[in-house]
Amino acid sequence: MREPAHDNVRSIADFLERAHVVCDGQRVALAEVEAVLARHDAVWEAAVLPRRHALHGEILVAFVSLSTGALLVPGELHDFASAHLPSAAVPRSFMALTSLPRTALGRVDRRALRQRAMGACT
């Protein structure tokens, strides 16, 4: 059975949104930002999503699950990202979660994270 056309368009938009976004006039690969955050010793897994901001246009929100027993000092991930990424690629908000939400197929549920991101960076 074929998907309705609007579902197909939404899935293409989801793919493109995950691939690259433009922040501060620069093209940012979300997977690159996620890979840098995942290199931090305290981070088990990371997901980064774009969010519209009234003053700044597109901004990045990072969601991380921490390694067992790991603790983070406020600002530590921001400083780590700033040391390894261009300023446009540094997330403006970080949210630590017990674990990242999953779809039925075991992938990170970006739609659930998008709902959380709507309340971040006010």
Side-chain angles (χ1 to χ4, degrees), residues 62-85:
F63 296 89
V64 297
S65 63
L66 301 181
S67 300
T68 305
L71 297 174
L72 281 175
V73 176
E76 185 177 347
L77 277 180
H78 182 273
D79 293 345
F80 182 82
S82 294
H84 295 88
L85 292 166

PDB file of all heavy atoms in Angstrom, residues 62-85:
ATOM      1  N   ALA A  62      20.477  20.378  21.706  1.00  0.00           N
ATOM      2  CA  ALA A  62      21.132  19.070  21.848  1.00  0.00           C
ATOM      3  C   ALA A  62      20.483  18.294  22.984  1.00  0.00           C
ATOM      4  O   ALA A  62      20.228  18.839  24.058  1.00  0.00           O
ATOM      5  CB  ALA A  62      22.616  19.253  22.130  1.00  0.00           C
ATOM      6  N   PHE A  63      20.222  17.025  22.723  1.00  0.00           N
ATOM      7  CA  PHE A  63      19.719  16.095  23.724  1.00  0.00           C
ATOM      8  C   PHE A  63      20.790  15.048  23.941  1.00  0.00           C
ATOM      9  O   PHE A  63      21.299  14.485  22.973  1.00  0.00           O
ATOM     10  CB  PHE A  63      18.433  15.414  23.239  1.00  0.00           C
ATOM     11  CG  PHE A  63      17.298  16.376  23.033  1.00  0.00           C
ATOM     12  CD1 PHE A  63      17.120  16.993  21.806  1.00  0.00           C
ATOM     13  CD2 PHE A  63      16.425  16.658  24.061  1.00  0.00           C
ATOM     14  CE1 PHE A  63      16.081  17.886  21.609  1.00  0.00           C
ATOM     15  CE2 PHE A  63      15.377  17.552  23.875  1.00  0.00           C
ATOM     16  CZ  PHE A  63      15.211  18.170  22.643  1.00  0.00           C
ATOM     17  N   VAL A  64      21.142  14.804  25.173  1.00  0.00           N
ATOM     18  CA  VAL A  64      22.167  13.806  25.462  1.00  0.00           C
ATOM     19  C   VAL A  64      21.685  12.875  26.559  1.00  0.00           C
ATOM     20  O   VAL A  64      20.951  13.273  27.455  1.00  0.00           O
ATOM     21  CB  VAL A  64      23.514  14.452  25.891  1.00  0.00           C
ATOM     22  CG1 VAL A  64      24.094  15.282  24.773  1.00  0.00           C
ATOM     23  CG2 VAL A  64      23.365  15.275  27.148  1.00  0.00           C
ATOM     24  N   SER A  65      22.077  11.617  26.436  1.00  0.00           N
ATOM     25  CA  SER A  65      21.925  10.691  27.554  1.00  0.00           C
ATOM     26  C   SER A  65      23.337  10.466  28.079  1.00  0.00           C
ATOM     27  O   SER A  65      24.294  10.355  27.307  1.00  0.00           O
ATOM     28  CB  SER A  65      21.257   9.384  27.128  1.00  0.00           C
ATOM     29  OG  SER A  65      22.036   8.703  26.197  1.00  0.00           O
ATOM     30  N   LEU A  66      23.463  10.449  29.395  1.00  0.00           N
ATOM     31  CA  LEU A  66      24.774  10.368  30.011  1.00  0.00           C
ATOM     32  C   LEU A  66      25.204   8.929  30.233  1.00  0.00           C
ATOM     33  O   LEU A  66      24.367   8.042  30.429  1.00  0.00           O
ATOM     34  CB  LEU A  66      24.774  11.120  31.343  1.00  0.00           C
ATOM     35  CG  LEU A  66      24.412  12.602  31.265  1.00  0.00           C
ATOM     36  CD1 LEU A  66      24.461  13.235  32.645  1.00  0.00           C
ATOM     37  CD2 LEU A  66      25.323  13.333  30.297  1.00  0.00           C
ATOM     38  N   SER A  67      26.504   8.723  30.225  1.00  0.00           N
ATOM     39  CA  SER A  67      27.071   7.413  30.542  1.00  0.00           C
ATOM     40  C   SER A  67      26.752   7.100  32.002  1.00  0.00           C
ATOM     41  O   SER A  67      26.569   8.002  32.823  1.00  0.00           O
ATOM     42  CB  SER A  67      28.587   7.422  30.343  1.00  0.00           C
ATOM     43  OG  SER A  67      28.902   7.734  29.017  1.00  0.00           O
ATOM     44  N   THR A  68      26.704   5.833  32.329  1.00  0.00           N
ATOM     45  CA  THR A  68      26.396   5.405  33.689  1.00  0.00           C
ATOM     46  C   THR A  68      27.350   6.054  34.690  1.00  0.00           C
ATOM     47  O   THR A  68      28.567   5.987  34.536  1.00  0.00           O
ATOM     48  CB  THR A  68      26.487   3.871  33.810  1.00  0.00           C
ATOM     49  OG1 THR A  68      25.627   3.302  32.815  1.00  0.00           O
ATOM     50  CG2 THR A  68      26.073   3.402  35.185  1.00  0.00           C
ATOM     51  N   GLY A  69      26.781   6.701  35.684  1.00  0.00           N
ATOM     52  CA  GLY A  69      27.564   7.324  36.735  1.00  0.00           C
ATOM     53  C   GLY A  69      28.198   8.648  36.371  1.00  0.00           C
ATOM     54  O   GLY A  69      28.875   9.255  37.198  1.00  0.00           O
ATOM     55  N   ALA A  70      27.977   9.128  35.163  1.00  0.00           N
ATOM     56  CA  ALA A  70      28.598  10.379  34.723  1.00  0.00           C
ATOM     57  C   ALA A  70      27.837  11.585  35.268  1.00  0.00           C
ATOM     58  O   ALA A  70      26.615  11.557  35.409  1.00  0.00           O
ATOM     59  CB  ALA A  70      28.638  10.439  33.203  1.00  0.00           C
ATOM     60  N   LEU A  71      28.574  12.615  35.561  1.00  0.00           N
ATOM     61  CA  LEU A  71      27.998  13.889  35.996  1.00  0.00           C
ATOM     62  C   LEU A  71      28.552  14.995  35.119  1.00  0.00           C
ATOM     63  O   LEU A  71      29.699  14.938  34.678  1.00  0.00           O
ATOM     64  CB  LEU A  71      28.358  14.170  37.456  1.00  0.00           C
ATOM     65  CG  LEU A  71      27.825  13.184  38.487  1.00  0.00           C
ATOM     66  CD1 LEU A  71      28.395  13.505  39.856  1.00  0.00           C
ATOM     67  CD2 LEU A  71      26.308  13.220  38.533  1.00  0.00           C
ATOM     68  N   LEU A  72      27.730  15.998  34.882  1.00  0.00           N
ATOM     69  CA  LEU A  72      28.164  17.143  34.086  1.00  0.00           C
ATOM     70  C   LEU A  72      28.043  18.416  34.910  1.00  0.00           C
ATOM     71  O   LEU A  72      27.075  18.598  35.642  1.00  0.00           O
ATOM     72  CB  LEU A  72      27.289  17.306  32.844  1.00  0.00           C
ATOM     73  CG  LEU A  72      27.555  16.394  31.667  1.00  0.00           C
ATOM     74  CD1 LEU A  72      26.510  16.618  30.589  1.00  0.00           C
ATOM     75  CD2 LEU A  72      28.938  16.629  31.108  1.00  0.00           C
ATOM     76  N   VAL A  73      29.020  19.276  34.776  1.00  0.00           N
ATOM     77  CA  VAL A  73      28.964  20.606  35.361  1.00  0.00           C
ATOM     78  C   VAL A  73      28.217  21.489  34.356  1.00  0.00           C
ATOM     79  O   VAL A  73      28.438  21.358  33.144  1.00  0.00           O
ATOM     80  CB  VAL A  73      30.398  21.139  35.585  1.00  0.00           C
ATOM     81  CG1 VAL A  73      30.389  22.560  36.093  1.00  0.00           C
ATOM     82  CG2 VAL A  73      31.164  20.216  36.502  1.00  0.00           C
ATOM     83  N   PRO A  74      27.317  22.374  34.822  1.00  0.00           N
ATOM     84  CA  PRO A  74      26.631  23.260  33.874  1.00  0.00           C
ATOM     85  C   PRO A  74      27.635  23.993  32.987  1.00  0.00           C
ATOM     86  O   PRO A  74      28.646  24.511  33.457  1.00  0.00           O
ATOM     87  CB  PRO A  74      25.871  24.232  34.786  1.00  0.00           C
ATOM     88  CG  PRO A  74      25.622  23.453  36.036  1.00  0.00           C
ATOM     89  CD  PRO A  74      26.858  22.585  36.204  1.00  0.00           C
ATOM     90  N   GLY A  75      27.370  24.011  31.703  1.00  0.00           N
ATOM     91  CA  GLY A  75      28.242  24.672  30.735  1.00  0.00           C
ATOM     92  C   GLY A  75      29.350  23.795  30.179  1.00  0.00           C
ATOM     93  O   GLY A  75      30.022  24.174  29.225  1.00  0.00           O
ATOM     94  N   GLU A  76      29.552  22.619  30.759  1.00  0.00           N
ATOM     95  CA  GLU A  76      30.647  21.748  30.321  1.00  0.00           C
ATOM     96  C   GLU A  76      30.488  21.299  28.872  1.00  0.00           C
ATOM     97  O   GLU A  76      31.445  21.318  28.095  1.00  0.00           O
ATOM     98  CB  GLU A  76      30.733  20.539  31.251  1.00  0.00           C
ATOM     99  CG  GLU A  76      31.892  19.625  30.991  1.00  0.00           C
ATOM    100  CD  GLU A  76      31.983  18.480  31.995  1.00  0.00           C
ATOM    101  OE1 GLU A  76      31.308  18.510  33.040  1.00  0.00           O
ATOM    102  OE2 GLU A  76      32.746  17.539  31.704  1.00  0.00           O
ATOM    103  N   LEU A  77      29.292  20.873  28.495  1.00  0.00           N
ATOM    104  CA  LEU A  77      29.075  20.435  27.108  1.00  0.00           C
ATOM    105  C   LEU A  77      29.192  21.609  26.140  1.00  0.00           C
ATOM    106  O   LEU A  77      29.717  21.455  25.037  1.00  0.00           O
ATOM    107  CB  LEU A  77      27.717  19.760  26.959  1.00  0.00           C
ATOM    108  CG  LEU A  77      27.652  18.299  27.330  1.00  0.00           C
ATOM    109  CD1 LEU A  77      26.241  17.760  27.130  1.00  0.00           C
ATOM    110  CD2 LEU A  77      28.645  17.471  26.556  1.00  0.00           C
ATOM    111  N   HIS A  78      28.689  22.767  26.542  1.00  0.00           N
ATOM    112  CA  HIS A  78      28.805  23.949  25.691  1.00  0.00           C
ATOM    113  C   HIS A  78      30.278  24.276  25.441  1.00  0.00           C
ATOM    114  O   HIS A  78      30.693  24.535  24.309  1.00  0.00           O
ATOM    115  CB  HIS A  78      28.090  25.145  26.315  1.00  0.00           C
ATOM    116  CG  HIS A  78      28.140  26.356  25.458  1.00  0.00           C
ATOM    117  ND1 HIS A  78      29.182  27.258  25.504  1.00  0.00           N
ATOM    118  CD2 HIS A  78      27.288  26.808  24.503  1.00  0.00           C
ATOM    119  CE1 HIS A  78      28.971  28.211  24.618  1.00  0.00           C
ATOM    120  NE2 HIS A  78      27.832  27.961  24.005  1.00  0.00           N
ATOM    121  N   ASP A  79      31.079  24.241  26.498  1.00  0.00           N
ATOM    122  CA  ASP A  79      32.511  24.524  26.354  1.00  0.00           C
ATOM    123  C   ASP A  79      33.200  23.481  25.473  1.00  0.00           C
ATOM    124  O   ASP A  79      34.036  23.814  24.637  1.00  0.00           O
ATOM    125  CB  ASP A  79      33.186  24.568  27.729  1.00  0.00           C
ATOM    126  CG  ASP A  79      32.715  25.746  28.569  1.00  0.00           C
ATOM    127  OD1 ASP A  79      32.100  26.684  28.008  1.00  0.00           O
ATOM    128  OD2 ASP A  79      32.950  25.711  29.787  1.00  0.00           O
ATOM    129  N   PHE A  80      32.824  22.218  25.648  1.00  0.00           N
ATOM    130  CA  PHE A  80      33.395  21.140  24.847  1.00  0.00           C
ATOM    131  C   PHE A  80      33.039  21.334  23.373  1.00  0.00           C
ATOM    132  O   PHE A  80      33.899  21.244  22.496  1.00  0.00           O
ATOM    133  CB  PHE A  80      32.883  19.782  25.353  1.00  0.00           C
ATOM    134  CG  PHE A  80      33.451  18.607  24.622  1.00  0.00           C
ATOM    135  CD1 PHE A  80      34.707  18.110  24.948  1.00  0.00           C
ATOM    136  CD2 PHE A  80      32.735  17.978  23.619  1.00  0.00           C
ATOM    137  CE1 PHE A  80      35.244  17.020  24.270  1.00  0.00           C
ATOM    138  CE2 PHE A  80      33.252  16.893  22.934  1.00  0.00           C
ATOM    139  CZ  PHE A  80      34.513  16.407  23.262  1.00  0.00           C
ATOM    140  N   ALA A  81      31.759  21.611  23.096  1.00  0.00           N
ATOM    141  CA  ALA A  81      31.317  21.819  21.717  1.00  0.00           C
ATOM    142  C   ALA A  81      32.002  23.043  21.112  1.00  0.00           C
ATOM    143  O   ALA A  81      32.418  23.020  19.952  1.00  0.00           O
ATOM    144  CB  ALA A  81      29.800  21.963  21.663  1.00  0.00           C
ATOM    145  N   SER A  82      32.144  24.097  21.898  1.00  0.00           N
ATOM    146  CA  SER A  82      32.788  25.327  21.402  1.00  0.00           C
ATOM    147  C   SER A  82      34.243  25.090  21.023  1.00  0.00           C
ATOM    148  O   SER A  82      34.759  25.728  20.102  1.00  0.00           O
ATOM    149  CB  SER A  82      32.721  26.422  22.468  1.00  0.00           C
ATOM    150  OG  SER A  82      31.390  26.803  22.688  1.00  0.00           O
ATOM    151  N   ALA A  83      34.901  24.176  21.722  1.00  0.00           N
ATOM    152  CA  ALA A  83      36.302  23.886  21.438  1.00  0.00           C
ATOM    153  C   ALA A  83      36.485  23.038  20.181  1.00  0.00           C
ATOM    154  O   ALA A  83      37.569  23.008  19.607  1.00  0.00           O
ATOM    155  CB  ALA A  83      36.940  23.173  22.629  1.00  0.00           C
ATOM    156  N   HIS A  84      35.416  22.343  19.747  1.00  0.00           N
ATOM    157  CA  HIS A  84      35.538  21.404  18.630  1.00  0.00           C
ATOM    158  C   HIS A  84      34.689  21.736  17.408  1.00  0.00           C
ATOM    159  O   HIS A  84      34.789  21.048  16.392  1.00  0.00           O
ATOM    160  CB  HIS A  84      35.174  19.992  19.106  1.00  0.00           C
ATOM    161  CG  HIS A  84      36.123  19.449  20.127  1.00  0.00           C
ATOM    162  ND1 HIS A  84      35.974  19.657  21.469  1.00  0.00           N
ATOM    163  CD2 HIS A  84      37.258  18.738  19.986  1.00  0.00           C
ATOM    164  CE1 HIS A  84      36.960  19.076  22.122  1.00  0.00           C
ATOM    165  NE2 HIS A  84      37.763  18.526  21.248  1.00  0.00           N
ATOM    166  N   LEU A  85      33.843  22.760  17.507  1.00  0.00           N
ATOM    167  CA  LEU A  85      32.936  23.089  16.407  1.00  0.00           C
ATOM    168  C   LEU A  85      32.974  24.581  16.103  1.00  0.00           C
ATOM    169  O   LEU A  85      33.275  25.386  16.985  1.00  0.00           O
ATOM    170  CB  LEU A  85      31.491  22.718  16.789  1.00  0.00           C
ATOM    171  CG  LEU A  85      31.149  21.250  16.946  1.00  0.00           C
ATOM    172  CD1 LEU A  85      29.812  21.095  17.642  1.00  0.00           C
ATOM    173  CD2 LEU A  85      31.119  20.571  15.581  1.00  0.00           C
TER     174      LEU A  85
END
